[in-house]
Amino acid sequence: MAALLRGLRAGRALRGLSSVVAAPTATNPQCGSLRRGFRCAGLRLQDESKSDKPPSSTSSSTTYHEHYQARSAEQDTAASASDPAVDQSTDPNTSYQDQSGEQDEEYETEEQLQARILTAALEFVPLHGWSMEAIAAGAESLGLSSASTGMFEKGSGDLVLHFIAQCNAQLMEILAEQHNQVQLGQAEPKKTADFIRDAVETRLRMYIPYIETWPQAMSLLLLPHNIPDSLKHLSTLMDDIWYYAGDRSTDMNWYTKRAALTGIYNTTELVMIQDSSPDYQDTWAFLDNRIQDVVNMATTAKQVQSTGEAVVQGLMGAAVTLKNLTGLNQRR
Amino acid sequence: MVHRMLRVDHAGEYGANRIYAGQMAVLGRSKTGPFIQEMWDQEKKHLEKFNEILAENRVRPTALLPFWNIAGFVLGASSALLGKEGAMACTVAVEESITEHYNSQIRTLMEKDPERYTELLQVIKEFRDDEMEHHDTGLAHDAENVPGYWLLKNAIQLGCKAAIYVSQRI
């Protein structure tokens, strides 16, 4: 598959500025769909060349949506709305020209292509489970060959990891938005325990559409070749939640807080997959109790520490009293 | 890369704090007490600054902090038990290591992107100057008169190098 991509890239480079116009026009979006689909699958690998092009910031978020059959309708509206003044001739590698005259953006990296396929594959998970069939169905729904599943070395683990990354990103957006609201004074800051509870609940609710197959996904994440990535996602998630909860500690609390939250999150996830109560009430009750446990533990730890300090003070006082009584404190 | 640098700097200031705490525990009431206290106060300010920087940049602190807590205190206390010269020799060794370390960080940052890291560079330069001052104070207070100065100094500096290496990663 990679060799195919490289071969196609070489071929495309030779064609250079040829006038092969492949952009879907408003009148003929279906023409040559198979060829375009094949070309889409054969995108060149992107590296620093992309930074040479003047970025078209208004369309950067939709770059890899353009030119593709699946998104032609969206693109038409996006293209007509965006700025047509971007100069195209500065990029000598442009083979395709968009109708709006926009900077050519169809150089999609392999990661972006993989991301698109996996996102499309998520629709088929309830049907096929977290498997290569789902990925193949996703690829086909985009007009790509189902052989493109060969791109995913970790197989269905890639699909689960992609979904998790997507959920984490969504949660971050929500938390950042809440943070902004508090900064702007439009919302009250929540207490830490409530904030944590809401963040974990929001995040776990994202699994509800896939809850039937989630045990399969969890077991996939435990496979040895998936563990590093799943741990990385988990630790980033915990760090982000604590950051937005207001944690700025720079000592061992950094570790204990994240470890505690990881425990809470994982156990709640396990309870959720076998919960059959309406709207998962039992799960949220379990979550509340676990958070309360951690809060209690922290309070107890503080109490133990202050008791310990008081005891030490008492002992020192007793020692000084003893020294006074026996006359050891006097200077002779 | 910057995260590693900040992590090890934070660990270094934390360790230096504990070393001075150990030295004060032994020599606090002697005539060198005030000098050690002054250097300790400066290290406390350094640590505060790094706490701020770490929180701003969301850097993970090193997991070995409890270890540096104990090791630093023990080093400070045991060097102070060798007398005032021992404490000063320990200060000289540690401050020399830290100065060298900050210098290499300054070089790295200047090579990479001086404009982006101006504030950090300024902080590190200021702290490096403070540490050099401590080093000179140590020498001025007869650090070299401790028996086995060469051995003590090199042993401590070797320990510092190992601590720096480990704290960057863990």
Side-chain angles (χ1 to χ4, degrees):
Chain A
M1 183 70 193
L4 173 64
L5 292 177
R6 269 183 231 118
L8 285 165
R9 171 173 40 159
R12 162 121 23 100
L14 288 173
R15 280 205 306 275
L17 249 178
S18 76
S19 57
V20 177
V21 177
T25 65
T27 54
N28 198 2
Q30 306 302 325
C31 173
S33 61
L34 179 62
R35 234 178 15 131
R36 268 215 327 283
F38 188 70
R39 203 169 17 243
C40 300
L43 291 169
R44 70 182 69 198
L45 292 175
Q46 194 74 41
D47 41 31
E48 283 78 49
S49 59
K50 203 164 178 111
S51 61
D52 297 338
K53 293 189 263 182
S56 170
S57 55
T58 53
S59 68
S60 58
S61 60
T62 58
T63 52
Y64 55 80
H65 292 297
E66 292 170 345
H67 303 287
Y68 296 138
Q69 174 192 6
R71 314 249 189 242
S72 57
E74 181 192 335
Q75 182 209 350
D76 285 332
T77 50
S80 55
S82 57
D83 184 3
V86 177
D87 183 18
Q88 245 179 256
S89 57
T90 56
D91 184 2
N93 286 327
T94 306
S95 310
Y96 309 134
Q97 299 192 0
D98 188 37
Q99 272 230 306
S100 68
E102 248 185 313
Q103 187 67 34
D104 172 54
E105 307 279 3
E106 109 296 3
Y107 293 167
E108 184 184 59
T109 64
E110 195 169 314
E111 284 100 43
Q112 283 173 335
L113 177 63
Q114 286 185 353
R116 274 203 321 130
I117 295 180
L118 292 177
T119 309
L122 286 177
E123 281 173 42
F124 299 92
V125 165
L127 181 58
H128 295 298
W130 301 89
S131 63
M132 295 306 276
E133 281 89 33
I135 301 181
E140 275 163 3
S141 79
L142 292 177
L144 303 171
S145 153
S146 64
S148 51
T149 56
M151 270 201 285
F152 304 103
E153 306 123 14
K154 297 214 230 14
S156 29
D158 270 332
L159 183 56
V160 183
L161 289 169
H162 171 81
F163 176 62
I164 287 192
Q166 209 175 341
C167 291
N168 287 356
Q170 275 177 12
L171 183 68
M172 284 316 106
E173 272 176 36
I174 295 174
L175 291 183
E177 181 54 40
Q178 282 179 11
H179 186 72
N180 279 344
Q181 298 263 324
V182 170
Q183 300 281 54
L184 294 172
Q186 287 168 4
E188 287 296 315
K190 295 189 211 171
K191 282 173 36 171
T192 311
D194 292 335
F195 182 93
I196 303 279
R197 188 206 179 289
D198 290 339
V200 174
E201 184 184 333
T202 310
R203 179 61 177 77
L204 285 177
R205 277 190 184 276
M206 295 181 195
Y207 290 157
I208 292 182
Y210 303 96
I211 199 72
E212 302 291 320
T213 49
W214 196 245
Q216 182 198 8
M218 287 177 75
S219 62
L220 279 170
L221 287 177
L222 288 174
L223 291 176
H225 52 260
N226 290 328
I227 284 185
D229 281 325
S230 74
L231 283 181
K232 192 167 60 106
H233 283 307
L234 183 62
S235 59
T236 318
L237 176 67
M238 297 295 112
D239 185 37
D240 286 336
I241 293 182
W242 268 118
Y243 176 76
Y244 282 112
D247 175 48
R248 299 285 180 274
S249 47
T250 50
D251 51 5
M252 282 319 273
N253 280 329
W254 193 96
Y255 289 91
T256 52
K257 282 181 169 173
R258 279 151 186 78
L261 186 57
T262 309
I264 294 175
Y265 178 82
N266 281 339
T267 48
T268 311
E269 195 181 351
L270 285 172
V271 166
M272 190 172 164
I273 54 180
Q274 46 81 51
D275 185 9
S276 49
S277 62
D279 196 36
Y280 300 92
Q281 280 162 13
D282 289 348
T283 307
W284 313 133
F286 178 87
L287 175 60
D288 279 330
N289 289 337
R290 296 293 72 72
I291 293 184
Q292 201 52 45
D293 284 345
V294 171
V295 167
N296 287 345
M297 263 200 307
T299 321
T300 312
K302 276 205 194 82
Q303 283 173 344
V304 163
Q305 192 184 12
S306 56
T307 308
E309 277 168 11
V311 165
V312 165
Q313 298 276 30
L315 286 173
M316 298 284 274
V320 168
T321 311
L322 219 57
K323 277 165 79 175
N324 283 339
L325 285 176
T326 56
L328 284 173
N329 241 5
Q330 295 175 14
R331 291 173 189 277
R332 298 269 161 91
Chain B
M1 180 216 69
V2 177
H3 278 213
R4 280 190 169 187
M5 287 171 58
L6 293 175
R7 181 175 313 130
V8 73
D9 288 348
H10 176 256
E13 295 298 344
Y14 183 80
N17 245 288
R18 297 305 296 155
I19 292 178
Y20 284 123
Q23 289 187 345
M24 278 303 281
V26 176
L27 288 173
R29 269 166 285 186
S30 71
K31 353 187 226 64
T32 20
F35 298 106
I36 303 180
Q37 181 67 46
E38 194 191 316
M39 294 195 283
W40 189 13
D41 289 336
Q42 279 187 324
E43 298 294 351
K44 283 186 193 155
K45 283 214 301 270
H46 290 187
L47 181 62
E48 253 178 60
K49 182 67 184 165
F50 271 119
N51 278 339
E52 267 174 48
I53 297 182
L54 248 69
E56 259 171 49
N57 291 290
R58 295 182 62 174
V59 178
R60 168 181 71 87
T62 170
L64 296 168
L65 281 177
F67 184 65
W68 299 142
N69 186 353
I70 301 177
F73 192 88
V74 163
L75 176 62
S78 47
S79 66
L81 285 172
L82 293 174
K84 156 193 148 197
E85 292 83 9
M88 291 298 135
C90 172
T91 303
V92 164
V94 171
E95 300 295 4
E96 196 177 303
S97 293
I98 291 191
T99 308
E100 204 183 297
H101 168 70
Y102 278 153
N103 276 336
S104 78
Q105 283 194 345
I106 292 173
R107 273 194 289 273
T108 314
L109 288 176
M110 296 288 279
E111 266 169 33
K112 253 208 143 189
D113 194 347
E115 278 102 38
R116 191 166 147 204
Y117 298 117
T118 4
E119 205 192 305
L120 181 59
L121 270 171
Q122 190 160 352
V123 166
I124 297 184
K125 281 182 190 163
E126 194 191 313
F127 289 3
R128 187 235 9 226
D129 294 341
D130 286 341
E131 309 291 1
M132 283 186 75
E133 208 186 299
H134 294 176
H135 172 263
D136 296 340
T137 311
L139 281 177
H141 280 89
D142 308 324
E144 285 156 334
N145 287 347
V146 72
Y149 173 71
W150 184 90
L151 191 62
L152 184 63
K153 177 163 178 266
N154 279 297
I156 294 179
Q157 289 192 324
L158 193 63
C160 285
K161 281 206 186 67
I164 289 175
Y165 181 85
V166 161
S167 290
Q168 275 173 339
R169 288 159 180 79
I170 305 186

